[in-house]
Amino acid sequence: MADKLKIAVLMGGQSAERGVSLATGTQVLNALDSEKYAIYAIDTATGLASLPRRAGVDGEETVVTALTQLPQLEKAGRPDIVFVALHGPGGEDGTVQGFLETLRIPYTGSGVLASALAMDKVRFKMLCTSASIPTPAGIVIKKSESARRRRAEIEIGQQLGFPVVIKPCRQGSSYGTRLVKEPEDVAEALKDTFRYDDTALIEECIQGTEITVAVLGNDDCVALPPVEIIPKHEFFDFEDKYSLDGAEEICPARLSEEDTKEAKELALECHRLLGCRGMSRTDMFVTEDGCIVLETNTIPGMTPTSLLPKAAAAAGISFEKLLDLLIGYAQEKK
């Protein structure tokens, strides 16, 4: 029998999305086929490694995890593929991708440049504008711009009006994101946003049907069925995203054939514009005037409530098969 492919799952990390990353990593570890892969995991924040061993119990497989110090990973040897299950800064922004490039170890997901550009919402908007991809009107305020921060409510009112969405430039999972309806709430919202990043992106609040469209593949990529998102709260916040009783998610989305086609084409365009590989997920609103893109994620969540696995399932792709595909795309880059 040929040697199993060695898969190291990077998870945890030090960003605000550490908990989400641990959930993604655990889901991936439990679903990877132990008949095909030799699997272990690394928490990049603690320096601890998990060596999952699968043992049969009454015909069912159970994952038994032993925590060991990182140097003991030498026993497992150099991984053939790294499965990146990190979210947020330090995992999704090109930094760990650059490290793996230096080590010449293939990894799942996009490369350094695509990861960095997608993580930076301001630069992503600039790219979209250059390619005539519609995004919400917005302004940018830096933490260091004390004078602009003091008059932010006036500037927002004049240029965008209310309500607006205020979010960190480089953060995910809706951390530091607020829906602001009144000028007097701007200062507090900015204060919260600046806890996560030194740059705030303020955008007009779009009215329409919120959807997300996942894309799989490298050069030859395909868009999966759009997922419609119906938040329980005023916008798709952290609780809506990760609670088991969070937002209602419908796949395929209840869209016209024309809107579905446009949404898929925009997701593919964003994937190619950034130079994404393996996977991406583009969030957007469908309005009376067409689709408006919010952002593209290069490492979508893989938790039990995540949207990429839901879209894949609607396309007839099981979670296990999805992981196999992502590993295969990583091998194409080798």
Side-chain angles (χ1 to χ4, degrees):
M1 181 183 292
D3 291 339
K4 295 179 182 179
L5 203 63
K6 296 174 185 174
I7 306 293
V9 180
L10 294 191
M11 56 196 291
Q14 302 181 64
S15 79
E17 295 182 78
R18 172 176 171 79
V20 179
S21 174
L22 289 172
T24 286
T26 300
Q27 190 88 344
V28 170
L29 287 170
N30 290 346
L32 284 170
D33 187 348
S34 62
E35 295 297 317
K36 296 179 182 178
Y37 311 118
I39 312 154
Y40 56 93
I42 303 170
D43 184 336
T44 61
T46 65
L48 290 176
S50 304
L51 301 176
R53 299 188 302 274
R54 295 177 184 265
V57 180
D58 297 329
E60 295 185 6
E61 288 195 326
T62 304
V63 176
V64 182
T65 301
L67 286 179
T68 60
Q69 290 299 320
L70 189 58
Q72 294 187 19
L73 280 177
E74 294 174 2
K75 296 178 181 177
R78 179 185 176 93
D80 297 306
I81 302 285
V82 166
F83 197 108
V84 183
L86 294 166
H87 299 302
E92 201 169 352
D93 58 359
T95 51
V96 76
Q97 288 78 9
F99 175 67
L100 293 171
E101 293 280 358
T102 302
L103 295 178
R104 294 185 153 188
I105 299 176
Y107 54 90
T108 58
S110 294
V112 177
L113 181 60
S115 300
L117 289 172
M119 191 71 194
D120 190 310
K121 295 179 179 64
V122 173
R123 284 168 176 78
F124 174 72
K125 279 178 73 72
M126 293 169 66
L127 266 181
C128 287
T129 300
S130 71
S132 299
I133 295 174
T135 66
I139 60 176
V140 177
I141 296 179
K142 292 187 175 294
K143 186 176 183 179
S144 59
E145 296 176 319
S146 54
R148 283 191 73 199
R149 287 179 63 181
R150 285 194 294 270
R151 65 173 190 273
E153 61 188 62
I154 299 173
E155 184 177 353
I156 292 170
Q158 290 175 342
Q159 295 192 34
L160 303 176
F162 288 91
V164 293
V165 177
I166 299 180
K167 62 181 77 171
C169 176
R170 294 170 291 266
Q171 186 62 61
S173 294
S174 297
Y175 282 106
T177 299
R178 292 232 195 150
L179 175 65
V180 178
K181 297 180 177 180
E182 305 294 339
E184 57 266 27
D185 297 328
V186 168
E188 186 62 31
L190 283 174
K191 182 179 178 181
D192 185 39
T193 294
F194 289 136
R195 291 172 53 212
Y196 297 94
D197 197 282
D198 61 4
T199 303
L201 174 60
I202 301 113
E203 293 182 317
E204 63 176 330
C205 184
I206 303 298
Q207 300 299 317
T209 301
E210 188 168 3
I211 65 167
T212 191
V213 185
V215 172
L216 294 179
N218 295 331
D219 298 324
D220 185 17
C221 48
V222 61
L224 299 179
V227 180
E228 180 179 349
I229 301 163
I230 306 173
K232 282 191 171 182
H233 304 101
E234 291 181 302
F235 74 100
F236 194 37
D237 62 10
F238 183 90
E239 186 178 346
D240 271 320
K241 290 178 179 178
Y242 299 113
S243 297
L244 291 176
D245 60 347
E248 181 181 358
E249 296 157 354
I250 302 170
C251 188
R254 299 169 297 180
L255 302 176
S256 68
E257 185 176 337
E258 181 181 359
D259 286 337
T260 298
K261 181 181 178 182
E262 181 185 358
K264 285 185 172 184
E265 288 176 350
L266 278 174
L268 287 167
E269 192 171 351
C270 289
H271 186 91
R272 292 170 178 143
L273 178 67
L274 289 166
C276 294
R277 298 184 68 81
M279 59 181 164
S280 70
R281 202 198 73 225
T282 298
D283 303 334
M284 59 186 87
F285 274 93
V286 181
T287 73
E288 293 180 355
D289 299 321
C291 296
I292 298 178
V293 169
L294 300 179
E295 61 183 82
T296 294
N297 302 279
T298 54
I299 305 182
M302 295 284 188
T303 70
T305 59
S306 293
L307 299 167
L308 172 57
K310 188 182 293 287
I317 303 170
S318 69
F319 188 66
E320 293 77 10
K321 177 61 176 176
L322 174 62
L323 300 184
D324 288 343
L325 286 171
L326 295 177
I327 290 169
Y329 297 142
Q331 288 178 294
E332 288 180 14
K333 296 188 291 184
K334 188 172 181 181

